[in-house]
Structure formats: C-alpha cells, structure tokens
Amino acid sequence: MARLGNWIEPFPEGIYVKPADAWVDPSQPKERALVTHGHADHARGGHGAVWATPETLAIMDVRYGQQCANPVAYGETVRMGEVEVGFVPAGHVLGSAQIVLDYRGERVVVSGDYKRRPDPTCAPFVVVPCDIFITEATLGLPVFRHPDTGTEIDRLLHRLRHEEGRCVLVGAYALGKAQRVIAELRLRGHHEPIYYHGAMERLCNLYETLGVPLGELRPVAGTKKEELVGRVIICPPSALNDRWSRRLPDPVTAMASGWMRVRQRARQKNVELPLVISDHGDWDELTRTIKEVAPREVWITHGREEALMHWCMLNQIKSRELHLVGREDDEEE
Ligand SMILES: [Zn+2]
Ligand SMILES: [Zn+2]
C-alpha cells in the first residue's frame, strides 16, 4: 500500500502538491502558488499565478502589487488536475485560510497559521477532519498559555487612564495585529480616536474597505503633541524605540505579541507594558485542535516541533517535522 500522503512533497521552500502541480506558501517564486494568508513568511510576490481568498489577494496587492489572481472564497473549491482544493477559515488574520486538498480519497489540510480565540477582525477557525493535518508550532510549548484578550486590553486602558500627561504607544504588526488591537479596544468600550504611524495606514484602510470597522483613526503625522496626551497610538514594533517616537508625549511603551509571555523578550525590546495578544494558538489551542481534527498523521511546518511531536507520540498520533525555511521565528504575528 502506498504511503499516506505520498502525493504531497515537502521541500525547504514550501509544500509541493504533485498532482495539482502547485505549491502551498512557497518562499520562492513558483508558477502556481496556493497562499494561506498575507503575512510575508507565507505570501511572497513574483509567482506566476496565485490562488487565495479574495481578502488575502487584496492584501497581497497592497504589499506586492497586482497579482495574477484566482480568488477562492471560503467554502468554495477549485479543481487543479485531479485535486479538489478548498479554502476554510483559519482565524489568524483577515482572509487567512486552511487549504483543504482532496485527492483519491485522501484529505490533507494545510492550516497555515491559526488560532482558536475569537478575533473581531476575521472569521473563526473551522475544524476539518482529515488524514494529514499540517500545522505550525510557533508557540508550541506548554509555557505558552495566553491570557484572556479582553483582560490584556483592560490592562492597556487602565494604564491610559492613570498615567497623567502620557500616551500609550502599542507596537503591533501592521497586518492583523494592529487592526485586531484596535477592534478589541472598541469592544472594550474605547471609542476615542486612535492614532497611527504612517506604516499602518494602507492596511487599516483596506480592512475598513473589506468590511472590518475600526472606528475613528487619525495619523500621528501632522498632529500636535498636546493632542496625543491620553491617547492610544499604534505603530509597527520597529518604531517603538526609534526617533519617530520621540515626538510623542512621554509614551508608555506597550507591545502586543504572543512572545510577550517571555519576560526577556519584553525587556530586550524595552517594553514597559507587555500585552500577551497572539494570532497563533497557544499550547492548549494547538493540542485541542489536533484532538478535534483527529488526523492519522500530523506534519509540523515550523516552530517548536519537538514538544508537539512528543505530545503526538504520547497521544499515539504519528508525526513528522518538515523543516520549512524562512519561518523560523514567525516574528510577524
Ligand atoms: Zn501569519
Ligand atoms: Zn507564519
């Protein structure tokens, strides 16, 4: 009997689906690419043709220019050779998808990046039972247990109210995290204008255009220092400690990331208010997902493979690591 999934070939630069002659999230330009979501470690420019959700394609257009695009909405399927290809929500960022591949009675799900917590800016993860579940393990260690998101946002708002003459500057990745932090602030009743670094503008506008309301946003550029007192300001993590932030009124430096669970990381980046808000599943989310998906095999693309492989062994699920390159730390989350 042929080995399970022998029609899927992992290479360092991506996952090759032989009978469809297509690659999933290739890090090198390929003729035919299936892309799970818009983060730079999964979506690259320069492919011949791209299959992705309409939202991911719109994000790629903003980042890389116009693509030769084949939109596939959630729940739709396309046929590529003998393979049926479907896109199902992954709950990671707007437009993020798990790619469901059906071929001769075997089903492989490439989950890309995902999380299970509610996120007001994207559709929730859908469990798709399959033979092989290809998963990340970015935060795949038992030490990663994310607190409730609302509680983290409340800590931010508490600081904002109690720091006279200061603002709160939140470092957040420009795609996904920034918009999620803004939307979560709105859910917790913060309806004041939120200010942003210029690098956030295009993607925030795109989210609004694609139907994710973010409330009143204003650029920091051209705003008087006094007006920024008592405000939340969102910037890319790289701007937290650079010259740009010196124009702000004595900022409380915050950062929203799953990595903020690791105190050294927060200290390294001079973060005064670490907010554990992640777009990757924590240990419980990863293991719960594998239990629910109930695959015969788990293939792990990147992250902390050893711990998850050990867990799979204890739970009598066959697992294997794929060693994809270019996703080592998945900083962009
Ligand atoms: Zn991602
Ligand atoms: Zn990733």
Side-chain angles (χ1 to χ4, degrees), residues 36-42 92-93 96 112-114 136 175 279-280 302 330 332-333:
T36 58
H37 68 286
H39 280 151
D41 56 328
H42 300 259
H92 176 57
V93 297
S96 66
D113 292 338
Y114 62 94
E136 55 144 332
L175 169 56
D279 285 330
H280 292 275
H302 61 298
D330 224 325
E332 190 171 69
E333 64 86 46

Side-chain angles (χ1 to χ4, degrees), residues 190-212:
H190 183 75
H191 298 298
E192 314 273 301
I194 292 174
Y195 291 74
Y196 60 83
H197 182 285
M200 302 295 180
E201 184 164 13
R202 287 191 309 167
L203 285 167
C204 286
N205 287 343
L206 181 65
Y207 265 61
E208 290 260 354
T209 310
L210 295 173
V212 181

